[in-house]
């Protein structure tokens, strides 16, 4: 991606559908018989990967712009091969659904990820509590539930998003009731529960810390519109903030962004949120934000950390980030230094000294949100910034170069 920086943005943009809602809902279609119509599915490679898995398992999926038609009645496999599992780490969310449907599942251990090791111990512990027998050998997870899955009481030691999703998918058709304590409360969990309940599931309390699921026999297909992507929205706000711009975000749910909005207000931005829109106006130069701690929802989201850090590299003063969710999510820092930023990383803490400006350079993305962060920084840097590793960006951002060009940026993919 080639970016000619130090240009202001302006105008309005419709935010894409949420990647992290579409992925578990695509897995959930394994449990719903008949036709499913999923609207607002972004054109991104992680969704293509999930569609590839559904087709491999025997499901039929067709895409019409951002609408997906999914029918898994003809599902005939319970294994997900190595290459499909490695393509996207969050494919682990298929485990609960396949196991619930076939009483068997065989997946290769999901790859580590750019964010460091991504254990799945919480997933496996919970599924075992529901009666699954899971053998791990030669990098393969061999799972059985010959008598089906049983509802039970589960308490997560950490509100893991993926584990919560796997447990919901395993519980909706389980025998009896499942009570999940310390569940993740992300909006994407609520969206998954709403989809499943429209299919006939009985899920109560999604979005709260305790979720109760009464197992039902069978689910039917439904129509569902995926919620907007709060992380893409946060990224666009970072792009406007770093260039001192005024933009209008449309088609978003502002309360999903409240922790992000309050940070931008602390940095001196004016934010007005109403009826699915956010009008955003950044000052010429941002104020530093003393403390940003990533936390489970509704705290500040770890996925918004990298783009926000890019914005604060040119703020007035020193900002301090504490990354509490993933153990190595500062890979973008080395590349930001090449653009002239002044950042020191000590374990899970990154101290960002605001500099007066950045200057364009060749930088390399190493993960999805890091790619978005480097583009964000390039928008503010004097001269040309070249960002390589755009395949990471395309996992989660739909036509990002077009979105930014429509806002007046000089960005092109070559
Ligand atoms: C989901 O990942 C998102 N991915 C991530 O977004 C997001 O950063 C993360 O939730 C936190 O909000 C999708 O929804 C597809 P976790 P997930 O389980 O489910 C540890 C993006 O950029 N953990 O809540 O993998 C884990 O190592 C992606 O869109 C265990 O130790 O997140 C991590 O440190 C990146 N054992 C922490 O918990 C487990 O069994 C949070 O993981 C599971 C997780």
């Amino acid at each position: 991606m080639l970016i000619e920086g130090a240009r202001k943005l302006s105008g309005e943009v419709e935010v894409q559908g949420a990647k992290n809602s579409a992925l578990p809902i695509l897995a959930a279609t394994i449990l719903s018989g008949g036709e499913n119509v999923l609207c607002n599915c972004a054109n991104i490679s992680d969704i293509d990967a999930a569609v590839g898995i559904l087709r491999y398992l025997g499901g039929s999926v067709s895409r019409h712009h951002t609408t997906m038609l999914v029918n898994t009645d003809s599902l005939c496999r319970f294994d997900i091969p190595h290459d499909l599992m490695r393509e996207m780490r969050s494919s682990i969310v298929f485990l609960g659904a396949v196991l619930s449907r076939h009483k068997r599942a065989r997946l290769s251990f999901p790859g580590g990820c750019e964010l460091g090791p991504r254990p799945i111990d919480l997933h496996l512990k919970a599924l075992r509590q529901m009666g699954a027998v899971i053998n791990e050998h030669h990098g393969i997870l061999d799972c059985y539930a010959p008598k089906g899955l049983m509802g039970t009481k589960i308490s997560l030691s950490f509100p893991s998003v993926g584990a919560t999703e796997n447990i919901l998918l395993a519980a909706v058709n389980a025998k009896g009731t499942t009570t999940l304590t310390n569940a993740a409360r992300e909006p994407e969990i609520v969206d998954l529960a709403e989809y499943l309940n429209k299919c006939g599931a009985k899920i109560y309390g999604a979005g709260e810390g305790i979720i109760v699921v009464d197992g039902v026999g069978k689910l039917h297909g439904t129509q569902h519109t995926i919620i907007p992507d709060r992380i893409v929205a946060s990224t666009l706000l970072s792009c406007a903030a770093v260039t001192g711009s005024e933009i209008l975000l449309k088609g978003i749910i502002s309360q999903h962004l409240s922790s992000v909005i309050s940070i931008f207000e602390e940095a001196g931005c004016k934010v007005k949120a109403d009826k699915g829109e956010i009008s955003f106006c950044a000052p010429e130069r941002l104020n530093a934000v003393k403390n940003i701690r990533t936390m489970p929802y509704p705290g500040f989201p770890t996925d918004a950390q990298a783009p926000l850090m890019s914005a604060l590299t040119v703020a007035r003063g020193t900002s301090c980030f504490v990354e509490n969710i993933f153990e190595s999510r500062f890979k973008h820092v080395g590349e930001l230094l090449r653009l002239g930023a002044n950042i020191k990383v000590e374990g899970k803490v990154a101290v960002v000294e605001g500099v007066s400006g950045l200057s364009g350079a060749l930088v390399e993305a190493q993960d999805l949100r890091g790619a978005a962060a480097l583009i964000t920084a390039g928008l503010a840097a004097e001269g040309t910034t070249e960002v390589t590793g755009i395949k990471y960006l395309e996992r989660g951002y739909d036509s990002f170069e077009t979105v930014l060009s429509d806002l007046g940026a000089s960005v092109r993919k070559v």
Side-chain angles (χ1 to χ4, degrees), residues 180-383:
L180 175 56
T181 307
N182 198 22
R185 299 164 58 174
E186 272 72 2
E188 293 77 25
I189 302 286
V190 177
D191 205 29
L192 172 63
E194 276 175 16
Y195 164 77
L196 287 165
N197 283 343
K198 281 159 66 173
C199 295
K202 288 190 169 46
I203 302 171
Y204 310 101
E208 304 304 317
I210 297 179
I211 301 180
V212 176
V213 184
D214 286 335
V216 296
K218 184 96 181 76
L219 300 180
H220 53 76
T222 189
Q223 150 132 14
H224 185 75
T225 298
I226 306 288
I227 56 171
D229 194 312
R230 61 194 169 98
I231 305 303
V232 170
S234 306
T235 307
L236 290 166
L237 294 182
S238 295
C239 293
V242 80
T243 51
S245 304
E246 183 168 351
I247 63 168
L248 177 69
L249 293 190
K250 302 181 77 164
I252 56 118
I253 301 170
S254 49
Q255 71 257 27
H256 291 171
L257 287 148
S258 44
S259 58
V260 172
I261 289 170
S262 65
I263 294 278
F264 281 116
E265 286 173 333
E266 195 178 331
C269 302
K270 298 270 172 297
V271 188
K272 207 163 81 57
D274 65 348
K275 287 190 306 304
E277 293 187 353
I278 285 186
S279 60
F280 182 87
C281 181
E284 264 312 302
R285 190 175 185 193
L286 297 171
N287 305 322
V289 178
K290 291 279 161 287
N291 276 306
I292 299 125
R293 296 179 183 82
T294 64
M295 297 299 280
Y297 192 88
F300 184 84
T302 172
D303 296 346
Q305 176 253 109
L308 176 68
M309 185 184 288
S310 289
L312 293 177
T313 58
V314 290
R316 186 181 298 106
T318 302
S319 305
C320 185
F321 286 80
V322 185
E323 174 52 62
N324 294 305
I325 306 293
F326 286 103
E327 61 188 53
S328 71
R329 198 165 195 175
F330 287 140
K331 288 213 168 67
H332 46 286
V333 168
E335 301 305 300
L336 290 174
L337 297 181
R338 290 171 55 81
L339 295 168
N342 179 346
I343 307 170
K344 287 180 191 57
V345 172
E346 194 73 34
K348 64 182 192 174
V349 176
V351 179
V352 181
E353 300 275 349
V355 294
S356 54
L358 299 176
S359 57
L362 169 62
V363 288
E364 188 181 345
Q366 295 163 59
D367 62 58
L368 163 60
R369 305 302 173 184
L374 294 176
I375 290 171
T376 301
L379 291 172
E382 279 299 330

Side-chain angles (χ1 to χ4, degrees), residues 19-21 23-24 46 89-90 115 117-124 158-163 165 186 230-231 302-303 324-327 329 368-369:
K19 164 175 87 80
N20 294 345
S21 177
L23 295 177
D46 268 8
R89 189 217 160 273
S90 45
L115 312 181
R118 298 277 288 281
I120 57 170
D121 54 309
L122 302 177
H123 299 243
L124 303 185
F158 177 85
S160 153
V161 171
E165 291 164 350
E186 272 72 2
R230 61 194 169 98
I231 305 303
T302 172
D303 296 346
N324 294 305
I325 306 293
F326 286 103
E327 61 188 53
R329 198 165 195 175
L368 163 60
R369 305 302 173 184

Side-chain angles (χ1 to χ4, degrees), residues 2 35-36 74 102 111 158-159 293 341 345 369:
L2 289 179
E35 277 300 319
N36 290 277
S74 51
H102 292 304
F158 177 85
R293 296 179 183 82
V345 172
R369 305 302 173 184

Side-chain angles (χ1 to χ4, degrees), residues 149-184:
L149 295 166
M150 316 296 287
T152 185
K153 289 188 185 330
I154 297 169
S155 174
L156 287 176
S157 57
F158 177 85
S160 153
V161 171
T164 301
E165 291 164 350
N166 250 329
I167 293 162
L168 289 186
L169 292 170
V172 287
N173 291 340
K175 294 185 194 68
T177 296
T178 300
T179 303
L180 175 56
T181 307
N182 198 22

